[in-house]
């Protein structure tokens, strides 16, 4: 799966180039600190990963919005049908 390979690559890059704050359960929390800011900011691969991540996020947001819209329509149809049957 393409998304999984991007995530694996991203995770490896993050692990190699950033200190990541974790909560008590080991889940990453907000805030990553570059190990070497200059290396990160000069790394074109990093910006490529950011672009890919941004694209994936936009895609999923559009998909979720579409699903939400359809779900709201279905809920309204159900409410309308229940109102008519009363």
């Amino acid at each position: 799966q393409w998304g999984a390979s991007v995530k694996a690559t991203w995770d490896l890059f993050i692990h190699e180039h950033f200190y990541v704050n974790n909560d008590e359960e080991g889940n990453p929390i907000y805030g990553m600190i570059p190990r070497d800011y200059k290396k990160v900011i000069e790394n074109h691969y990093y910006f490529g990963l950011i672009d890919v991540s941004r694209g994936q996020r936009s895609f999923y947001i559009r998909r979720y919005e579409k699903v939400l819209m359809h779900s709201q329509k279905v809920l309204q149809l159900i409410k309308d049908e229940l109102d008519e049957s009363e």
Side-chain angles (χ1 to χ4, degrees):
Q1 182 178 352
W2 183 79
S5 66
V6 170
K7 183 178 180 335
T9 302
W10 178 253
D11 288 346
L12 179 62
F13 184 87
I14 293 298
H15 179 72
E16 289 177 0
H17 297 283
F18 290 87
Y19 297 107
V20 180
N21 295 324
N22 294 325
D23 63 15
E24 294 80 25
E25 297 163 357
N27 300 313
I29 57 176
Y30 180 77
M32 295 185 298
I33 302 166
R35 295 178 191 274
D36 184 336
Y37 182 78
K38 187 174 180 180
K39 274 187 180 179
V40 171
I41 205 71
E42 292 175 350
N43 190 315
H44 296 289
Y45 184 73
Y46 172 70
F47 291 102
L49 286 173
I50 294 293
D51 285 341
V52 168
S53 296
R54 185 182 304 136
Q56 285 181 331
R57 181 178 179 195
S58 295
F59 170 78
Y60 286 117
I61 287 172
R62 286 191 308 273
R63 294 290 300 253
Y64 291 141
E65 287 172 344
K66 190 173 184 177
V67 168
L68 178 62
M69 181 185 68
H70 288 294
S71 297
Q72 289 170 336
K73 286 180 181 180
V74 169
L75 283 173
Q76 188 60 50
L77 289 170
I78 292 169
K79 287 177 183 178
D80 293 346
E81 185 66 29
L82 289 172
D83 288 343
E84 288 179 12
S85 66
E86 288 181 359

